[in-house]
Every structure is written in C-alpha cells, then in structure tokens.
C-alpha cells in the first residue's frame, strides 16, 4: 500500500525540484553517512575548533587555560628552538622527497621488465612499508650503533672512521633520511608501477617504428605520462616528510636532549613533556599552514609540468 | 656495630640541619612540620582511622615505573589482601620516561591510577593542581606514623602544610665497580679513602681503546653530576628556587672534572651511551669498570655479574651524595578513595615496608628496616648506601617542577658530545635552567 502510493507520487516534484523518490534517497543517504559524519564532527571537527581556541591560551593541562591572545603566535617568530625544528624538518624533507622520487621510479622501471623473481623483489621492496615504524627505528638505531653496530664495523673494516651517526645533527640527518627512504620507497614504487602499466603499449610501438631509441621513448613517453603519478607522490611525500616524528623520536632522542628535533617532535615535547599545551597547539597550526602553503603551491605549479593524457 | 651506626646516622641526618636544609625551605622549620604531623587539625589524632571504606568489592589501579620491583609489590598485595580480601590491587608499570606524560595527561583527562608512585621533584607540580588527596585521615594511632620516616623525605611530600604521601623507600648513590676488569688491569679496588684523583687515575688505567672503559659518566644528575658538584661544595639552585647556581666556580669545577673523562675517552662517549644504556647494558655487561649509580640498581647489577661490587663515592672537598625517596600518593578524584586510603596506610606500615626490604630492590624508608635490605644481598656491601645517608643532600624540588634539570641535562649532552667549547658548559647550563625556572 505504502509502496504503491509512493510510486504514484514519483513524478510529483517536491522542494528543490527533487522527485519524492530522489528526496527519499537523499534522506537515506544522509542517514547512512550520519555515523561517519557524527564521528567526524565530535572527534575531529570539534577537536579542531577547540584546538584553535586553545592556541590562544596558556594551558598546562592540569589547571584551566588562561587567555593570552596572540602571544603564542608571536612567540613562534622569536623561538630559536622552533626555528631549529623547522630547519631540521626542511633538511630531512628536501633530500627525502628528491631521492624517494628517483629511487622509486628507478625501482619501478627495473621491476617493470621481465626479470626473474620479479614478484619476489616487489615483495622485498614493499616489506618495509608495512613494517611498524617503531620496529624499523629500533632496528636501525642498533645498526647505527657507533661502537657495536654492524654499519660501523663494516666501515672500520674498510678503513673508514666510525661516525657517531645519531649523536650530531649533521650525520643524524643522513641517517634518518636513509631510513625514511628505505621505508618509503616501496610504496612509491608500487604506485609508479601502476602508472607505468597504464601507459598504452601502442605508444611505444609507434615510437619504435618512428625510430625512437630507448632513451627517447623514456623521455618523451614514459616521463610525461608518469607526471600525474609523480605529482600525486610528491604531494604525499612532502606532507609526510613535514610531519616526520616517530623515527626521530626513537632514533635521535637521548635523555632530555634530541639531536635532531623536528617540528612535530617539538610539538610533542612542549605539549606532553613540558605541558605547555597552548604553545604546542599553536605550533601544530603553524605546521598545518606550512603544509597548506606547500600543497597549494604545488597545485599551482602543476599546470606547468603535469601532463594529463 | 655498623648496623647501629647506620641507624644513628639516619637519625642524625634527620636532625641535622645540613641534610634537611633545602628540603625545609618551603615551611619555616623542621620542628614546625613535625609538630603539624603529630597534631593534625580536627582532632583526628586518636582513632583517626575512618577511611570511609566499608568492605565493598573494589579494584584499585596502582601506577609505578620500576619493573624490577614487581615481585615485591605482588607480595605486598598478597599481604594486604589477607586483611582486605575485597580490594583488588592491579599494578600498572609504565617506564619512567613515559610515566609522567601518561600520568599528567591521565589526570587532565579524568582517568588515572587510584594510587601511584610520586617523586619529590614532581610532588609540587601535582599538589599545586589539587590532583592529590591528603592522606591526613590515615595518620595517627594505629595508622601511618610519619615520625618513623626520615623527616626530610616526609617534608618533600608536604605541600602548603598538607601531607600527601608517606615515603616508601629512599635511595643514595655509591660507586659500583667490576672486580674482573680491575684484576685484568692490575688496579686496586676503590676504597672509602678514594678521592677524585684516585678515580681519575684508575679510570685512565682501566680504559682500553674501543672499550671497556674505566668510568661510566652517566647522563644523570641524581646518579652522577649533582653528587660531584656537592662534593666540591658547589651550588645547584638558590634557596628560594629562583636561580640555578650551577655556574658557581665550584660547580663549574666539578663539571670540568667530569668533562675530562669524555675528552680523554675514559668513559663511553655520549653517542655510545645514547645507543647503549650504561645502566641496562654497558655496565652489567662488563664494558664499564666503575660507575656511580643508585641503590635501586644494586640488585640488577649484583644479579648480572657476581664480579660487581660497591664502594662509597670518592671524596671531593667533602663527602656528598644525593638522597631521594618515593612515596605512594592518591589521586584526588579517585572513585575508590576509601580503599585507596586503606592501601596507602598498609604500604606505610611495618609489614609492607618489611616486605619491601626483603625483596632486595630499594631501601625501605621506615626506620629500623634497612637491615633487611642490607642482608638481602650478602655479596654486596650495601652498608655503604646507608652510611651515605649521613652525608647526603636531598634532590632540590622547586615548585615549577623538574624541567630545569631537563634543561641542564640537555646542555650537558651537547657539551659532552663536544658540540660547543667545554668552558661554556656551566654558563650555558645555568642559563637554560634559569629560563625554565622563570617561565
């Protein structure tokens, strides 16, 4: 009965020009996404807005927040530690993103050929991606051990000096970037492989008939057609690099000192060790602004180099 | 004889103004606070045992950080359950580095342990925020008796005239050494006659290139550099807790003395200690010949290697070491306050303290029970830790919390790594600490 009557009304137009059926569908749609939206509103949106308010306060977590206006934001500009954290983050991000692109593309190209044990290699290179970062950092910290670690034992056998890898900012950057590359290249490689396989074979055939060599084919077919993939991976890599925390937390922290504090590490230290939550939140917002700027900039620049076939 | 001496020394340190000088800054005098404890307001002195616990089934969470003490704590819980079968105590162990983070966020979030370990440096932080419950209802006849505990330690758990905890243990610092490494290098074992120069000479002889090292210069104020500063009669912090005194000439001199162990390579470098915890790995594994460390490590070291022995810290201008003790405190918003008070009262009683002493981990704080602890590890001369009480100084605990010590530590890590000139060590450390003290 109900069904029949609603069917009869199907053609009648309701508000916003929607049919009754469409409106009912919309209602169901809202109903079905409600759990997710409510969860988002309560646990993300509310927290996000609350944190914006808290960034205007001085709050030690235990007592109630004290209003300080824009003091926290002003402090950002005169805080040497924040500047150091920014510099360290930049020093990690730049080589990490650059070499990640180069190595993962190289691996993808190598594994896109008909070599033996191809799927075995794919698994090997992808394995670090699905390994817990804490486990990776702990193992690598042991590998980098200045006195008893295998890396320095190897260097010593070759007659090189034994660097104190994680004890000074210069070598710590190299050490951390190596681990980031090792653990991140596998993911990018898989995405590049998918990108490579979506390039139609006919293009290569046509180019070959026209007499294009392998370098030419790579430069004029593979690279341009991979630019959307590269663009996506670069945006993701820059965002994740700017947020690097767990590796430096485990590898470079010692007692009350960190040899390579990054922005997120400094947020953690101020928020959860020194309990200056208001300032920590302010830095988190500054990081968000930074990521936003970089991402918008990339979207702006992509028009010049990304080629959508 | 020595046993009596130690008890007397404990007594004398309680009475001595030197021992309690820093601890007593916040209230006017030791006598005053002792008097306050003896006659609590509200006439609760006699039969002050109304904890409000009525025998109902309750589960108490108990937060602590030292896994080595778990067996002793399990025994304490078993003994407690003889009296209170309906109170289930569930210990949760969180490593020290994360303990305070977790505790503070837990308190802020309204969900933390009913009863938990507290140290003196953090007590003012939590007490000032009303996160702790006064334990005065359980002090008095048949309950906890603060006069049986070292006054300076009791004082560290008093904030604005209110008592928040009874010390459960105390710890002092001594020099652990590995006889096998001494024998191999043909060096005489440390004695109580040793001075700084003896330590330096021995460290040099005991060091081999690439390890083992003669000396373990720990990145720890309590176990290492505060002791040397005090031995050199240097200052740590002003009496009003506003200024760090680590840049006084005597303090600088002590830090410079320690710096030479790094520059000469007689201690594992900072980066080696960063990769290998000296307390957990290098020293127990025989890679360090001698290392100052706390009494709580005696059991770990003794069990790791029977060749490890202990001697008093070498003497500087004077004998000195740091003393500190933990207490059990109750969360102010615990839903099980009655049961929590019963548990804390039990822990402050003789039975629980005796179990603690026999469990061979930390020194029980209650007077007269230290001998159980000394006897618990006959292979080590633990008496040196009790003798050290006489010349010990409490860990300074300003109301702004322990951040100033973190700042000093961070500067020393950089300085001892050679990242800036050694002569800037103490001025940089003091400047960093002062920043934390003033914020």
């Amino acid at each position: 009965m109900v069904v029949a009557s609603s069917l009869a009304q199907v053609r009648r137009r309701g508000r916003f020009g929607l049919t009754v059926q469409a409106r009912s569908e919309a209602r169901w749609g809202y109903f079905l996404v409600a759990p997710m939206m409510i969860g988002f509103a309560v646990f993300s949106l509310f927290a996000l807005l609350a944190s914006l308010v808290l960034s205007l306060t001085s709050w030690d977590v235990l007592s109630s927040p004290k209003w300080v206006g824009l003091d926290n934001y002003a402090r950002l500009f005169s805080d040497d530690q924040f500047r150091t954290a920014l510099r360290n983050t930049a020093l990690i991000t730049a080589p990490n993103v650059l070499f990640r692109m180069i190595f993962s593309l190289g691996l993808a190209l190598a594994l896109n050929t008909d070599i033996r044990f191809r799927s075995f290699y794919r698994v090997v290179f992808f394995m670090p991606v699905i390994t817990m970062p804490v486990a990776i950092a702990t193992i690598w910290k042991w590998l980098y051990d200045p006195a008893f670690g295998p890396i320095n034992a190897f260097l010593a056998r070759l007659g090189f000096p034994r660097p104190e890898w994680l004890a000074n900012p210069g070598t710590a950057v190299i050490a951390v970037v190596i681990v980031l590359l090792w653990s991140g290249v596998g993911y990018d490689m898989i995405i590049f492989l998918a990108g490579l396989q979506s390039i139609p074979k006919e293009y290569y055939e046509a180019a070959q008939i026209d007499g294009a060599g392998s370098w030419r084919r790579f430069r004029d077919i593979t690279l341009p057609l991979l630019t959307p993939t590269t663009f996506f991976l670069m945006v993701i890599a820059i965002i994740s690099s700017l947020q690097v925390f767990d590796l430096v937390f485990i590898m470079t922290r010692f007692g009350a000192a960190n040899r390579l504090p990054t922005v997120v590490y400094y947020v953690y230290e101020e928020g959860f060790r020194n309990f200056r939550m208001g300032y920590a939140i302010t830095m988190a917002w500054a990081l968000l602004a930074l990521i936003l700027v970089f991402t918008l900039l990339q979207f702006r620049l992509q028009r010049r180099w990304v080629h959508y076939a | 004889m020595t046993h009596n001496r130690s008890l007397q020394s404990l007594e004398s340190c309680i009475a001595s103004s030197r021992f309690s000088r820093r601890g007593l800054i916040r209230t006017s005098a030791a006598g005053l606070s002792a008097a306050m404890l003896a006659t609590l307001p509200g006439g609760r002195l006699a039969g002050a045992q109304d904890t409000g616990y009525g025998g109902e089934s309750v589960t108490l969470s108990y937060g602590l950080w030292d896994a080595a003490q778990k067996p002793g704590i399990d025994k304490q819980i078993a003994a407690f359950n003889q009296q209170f079968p309906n109170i289930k105590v569930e210990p949760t162990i969180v490593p020290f580095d994360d303990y305070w983070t977790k505790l503070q966020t837990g308190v802020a979030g309204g969900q933390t342990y009913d009863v938990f370990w507290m140290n003196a440096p953090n007590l003012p932080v939590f007490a000032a925020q009303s996160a702790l419950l006064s334990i005065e209802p359980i002090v008095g006849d048949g309950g906890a008796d603060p006069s049986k505990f070292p006054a300076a330690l009791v004082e560290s758990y008093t904030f604005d005239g209110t008592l928040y905890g009874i010390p459960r243990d105390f710890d002092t610092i001594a020099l652990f050494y590995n006889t096998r490494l001494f024998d191999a290098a043909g060096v005489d074992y440390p004695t109580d006659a040793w001075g700084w120069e003896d330590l330096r000479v021995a460290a040099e002889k005991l060091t081999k290139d690439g390890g083992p090292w003669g000396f373990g210069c720990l990145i720890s104020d309590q176990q290492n550099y505060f002791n040397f500063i005090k031995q050199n009669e240097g200052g740590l912090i002003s009496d009003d807790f506003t200024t760090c005194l680590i840049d006084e000439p005597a303090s600088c001199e002590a830090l410079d003395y320690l710096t030479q162990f790094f520059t000469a390579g007689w201690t594992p470098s900072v980066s080696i200690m960063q990769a290998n915890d000296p307390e957990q790995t290098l020293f127990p594994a025989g890679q360090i010949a001698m290392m100052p460390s706390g009494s709580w490590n005696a059991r770990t070291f003794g069990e790791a290697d029977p060749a490890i022995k202990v001697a008093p810290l070498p003497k500087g201008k004077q004998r000195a070491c740091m003393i500190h003790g933990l207490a059990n405190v109750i969360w102010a918003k615990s839903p099980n306050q009655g049961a929590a008070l019963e548990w804390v009262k039990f822990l402050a009683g003789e039975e629980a303290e005796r179990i603690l002493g026999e469990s061979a981990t930390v020194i029980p704080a209650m007077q007269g029970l230290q001998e159980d602890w000394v006897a618990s590890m006959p292979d080590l001369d633990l008496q040196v830790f009790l003798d050290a009480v006489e010349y010990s100084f409490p860990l300074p605990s300003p109301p702004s919390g322990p951040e100033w010590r973190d700042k000093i530590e961070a500067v020393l890590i950089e300085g001892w790594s050679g990242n800036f000139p050694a002569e800037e060590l103490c001025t940089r450390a003091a400047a960093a600490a002062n920043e934390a003290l003033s914020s």
Side-chain angles (χ1 to χ4, degrees):
Chain A
M1 283 285 282
V2 178
V3 174
S5 67
S6 65
L7 276 177
Q9 292 171 338
V10 156
R11 304 249 163 243
R12 235 178 67 204
R13 297 267 157 176
R15 253 192 315 165
F16 308 124
L18 291 173
T19 63
V20 172
Q21 192 184 10
R23 257 203 295 169
S24 152
E25 265 177 23
R27 251 200 309 271
W28 270 105
Y30 285 125
F31 178 72
L32 289 172
V33 299
M36 193 267 159
M37 290 311 288
I38 291 170
F40 172 76
V42 172
F43 295 110
S44 295
L45 195 62
F46 171 74
L48 204 67
L49 295 175
S51 80
L52 198 56
V53 176
L54 283 170
S55 75
L56 302 171
T57 66
S58 161
W59 185 36
D60 69 359
V61 179
L62 286 175
S63 50
S64 46
K66 283 182 280 292
W67 189 262
V68 296
L70 292 172
D71 282 8
N72 286 331
Y73 289 89
R75 194 182 145 196
L76 275 182
F77 293 95
S78 58
D79 183 355
D80 288 343
Q81 277 179 282
F82 181 65
R83 205 168 302 146
T84 308
L86 269 180
R87 199 194 59 211
N88 287 339
T89 310
L91 283 175
I92 291 172
T93 301
N96 180 39
V97 173
L98 179 69
F99 290 113
R100 236 177 111 154
M101 294 300 123
I102 295 172
F103 290 155
S104 54
L105 179 59
L107 279 177
L109 288 170
L111 293 180
N112 200 32
T113 56
D114 286 328
I115 53 164
R116 275 157 64 94
F117 307 119
R118 194 170 61 168
S119 25
F120 170 76
Y121 285 122
R122 286 182 186 176
V123 169
V124 165
F125 288 114
F126 196 69
M127 205 80 96
V129 178
I130 52 164
T131 308
M132 298 221 305
V134 173
I136 290 176
T138 310
I139 299 278
W140 275 89
K141 190 179 169 187
W142 175 74
L143 293 174
Y144 281 126
D145 185 321
F148 310 106
I151 292 178
N152 275 8
F154 178 72
L155 289 177
R157 184 156 297 179
L158 295 182
F160 289 105
R162 298 161 165 263
E164 304 205 319
W165 287 102
L166 301 171
N168 67 70
T171 45
V173 165
I174 298 171
V176 165
V177 167
I178 288 174
V179 182
L180 278 173
L181 286 172
W182 181 80
S183 61
V185 155
Y187 174 80
D188 292 15
M189 173 197 78
I190 293 291
I191 308 283
F192 268 132
L193 268 175
L196 283 173
Q197 280 163 8
S198 70
I199 300 174
K201 293 272 181 291
E202 294 79 35
Y203 293 1
Y204 293 107
E205 281 169 18
Q208 208 159 9
I209 289 164
D210 289 345
S214 58
W215 168 247
R216 213 34 222 287
R217 289 200 300 274
F218 173 73
R219 200 190 68 188
D220 292 337
I221 299 174
T222 313
L223 271 189
L225 291 178
L226 275 182
T227 48
T229 314
T230 314
F231 172 66
F232 164 76
L233 288 175
M234 251 177 72
V235 171
I236 298 293
I238 290 181
I239 292 177
S240 69
S241 274
L242 290 174
Q243 293 178 319
V244 66
F245 172 72
D246 35 21
L247 281 183
V248 297
F249 179 79
I250 292 171
M251 290 174 62
T252 65
R253 186 173 73 135
F254 176 42
N258 189 334
R259 335 310 293 278
L260 193 68
T262 57
V263 173
V264 180
Y265 179 85
Y266 192 34
V267 168
Y268 156 81
E269 188 183 74
E270 281 293 283
F272 293 97
R273 284 188 79 84
N274 299 332
F275 296 104
R276 283 191 277 267
M277 202 54 86
Y279 186 52
I281 291 170
T282 306
M283 286 191 285
W285 276 95
L287 182 64
L288 174 75
L290 196 70
I291 289 175
L292 200 67
V293 166
F294 266 100
T295 310
L296 287 177
L297 200 68
Q298 288 188 83
F299 271 93
R300 177 64 59 91
L301 290 174
Q302 66 147 332
R303 291 175 207 154
R304 302 213 184 136
W305 65 276
V306 177
H307 178 85
Y308 292 99
Chain B
M1 275 308 285
T2 49
H3 291 188
N4 277 336
R5 187 159 66 88
S6 86
L7 286 184
Q8 277 161 12
S9 71
L10 197 60
E11 294 281 354
S12 74
C13 90
I14 291 160
S16 97
S17 63
R18 187 181 61 154
F19 173 78
S20 45
R21 194 177 66 210
R22 298 218 182 274
L24 291 175
I25 299 311
R26 266 172 283 123
T27 53
S28 47
L32 176 67
S33 76
M36 279 182 336
L37 293 175
T39 53
L40 289 164
R44 284 204 225 99
L45 188 61
Q49 300 312 313
D50 185 19
T51 59
Y53 174 67
E56 65 275 14
S57 278
V58 168
T59 301
L60 283 181
S61 52
Y62 182 39
L64 51 128
W65 62 73
D66 187 0
Q69 296 193 39
K70 181 82 175 9
I73 284 159
D74 286 340
K75 277 189 201 158
Q76 287 180 323
I77 293 171
F80 178 64
N81 283 342
Q82 305 261 305
Q83 285 179 51
F84 295 96
N86 288 337
I87 304 180
K88 192 172 174 225
V89 180
E90 284 184 346
T92 307
I93 301 167
V94 180
F96 187 83
D97 268 355
D98 303 319
Y99 183 84
W100 302 103
T101 306
K102 206 168 167 180
L103 189 60
Q104 192 140 359
T105 43
V107 167
Q111 185 70 50
T112 192
Y113 321 107
D114 297 301
V115 179
F116 50 91
W117 281 9
M118 176 53 60
N119 65 9
N122 277 291
L123 183 101
V125 179
F126 284 83
Q129 311 293 350
S130 316
L132 306 180
L133 188 72
S134 160
I135 61 152
E136 286 173 7
I138 56 166
V139 173
D141 273 350
D145 181 359
S147 70
K148 285 189 185 159
F149 296 86
L153 292 183
V154 173
E155 180 54 37
S156 354
Y157 293 97
T158 307
F159 184 80
D160 274 353
T162 307
L163 185 65
Y164 290 100
I166 296 278
R168 70 188 286 277
D169 58 48
F170 68 82
D171 44 69
T172 55
I173 313 299
L175 186 70
F176 288 92
Y177 60 96
N178 187 320
T179 53
R180 198 179 310 110
L181 295 177
F182 273 77
D183 293 344
V187 179
D188 290 338
Y189 301 157
T191 67
D192 58 2
W194 267 31
W196 283 14
E197 183 60 13
D198 300 298
L199 182 76
R200 192 192 64 74
V201 169
E204 183 174 4
K205 285 187 195 153
L206 287 158
T207 299
K208 289 207 183 82
D209 199 26
W213 294 269
F215 184 64
C217 192
L218 283 180
I219 307 294
S220 162
D221 48 16
Q222 188 187 355
Q223 296 186 78
N224 187 21
Y225 45 88
F226 277 6
N227 300 285
F228 286 91
I229 290 173
K230 280 308 201 183
Q231 286 167 14
N232 207 37
E233 296 173 354
L236 297 174
I237 191 168
S238 62
D239 286 350
D240 60 0
F241 292 132
T242 57
T243 317
C244 177
L245 302 179
I246 211 163
D247 52 353
E248 281 182 358
S251 307
C252 292
E253 204 176 83
L255 291 177
D256 290 344
Y257 171 75
L258 292 174
T259 304
Q260 69 177 332
F261 289 90
F262 287 100
T263 44
W266 303 327
T267 173
S269 71
V270 172
S271 78
I272 290 171
M273 291 197 281
Q274 177 178 346
N276 306 276
D277 184 347
E279 289 172 72
Q280 300 295 324
T281 317
L282 292 178
F283 184 70
Q287 289 292 330
I288 292 175
M290 48 184 178
M291 186 172 87
S293 195
S295 48
W296 64 88
N297 273 330
R299 182 191 166 125
T300 311
F301 293 162
E303 282 178 354
D305 190 344
I308 291 176
K309 301 291 176 204
V310 64
L313 287 182
K315 193 178 161 197
K317 285 180 195 159
Q318 62 176 358
R319 285 209 170 280
C321 83
M322 304 313 290
I323 188 171
H324 177 247
L326 308 179
N328 295 294
V329 297
I330 303 169
W331 181 35
K333 291 191 182 140
S334 160
N336 310 310
Q337 291 185 354
L341 283 166
E342 291 294 354
W343 172 232
V344 168
K345 183 171 89 182
F346 173 82
L347 289 174
E350 188 172 337
E351 189 182 4
E353 283 282 283
R354 199 174 282 284
I355 293 171
L356 197 62
E358 287 162 356
S359 70
T361 44
V362 287
I363 310 173
M366 186 181 270
Q367 275 165 47
L369 296 182
Q370 286 79 31
E371 305 318 316
D372 289 342
W373 179 75
V374 172
S376 69
M377 287 169 270
D379 292 342
L380 283 175
D381 182 17
L382 296 183
Q383 188 62 37
V384 301
F385 289 106
L386 298 189
D387 294 346
V389 171
E390 194 177 358
Y391 51 79
S392 62
F393 292 83
L395 214 49
S397 305
S400 55
E403 194 191 340
W404 69 288
R405 290 167 54 197
D406 282 352
K407 295 290 181 198
I408 294 172
E409 183 176 308
V411 169
L412 291 186
I413 287 173
E414 292 307 322
W416 284 342
S417 301
N419 292 350
F420 58 78
E423 56 270 21
E424 293 172 22
L425 200 61
C426 53
T427 46
R428 283 196 189 216
N434 282 332
E435 204 177 303
L437 288 169
S438 63
S439 69

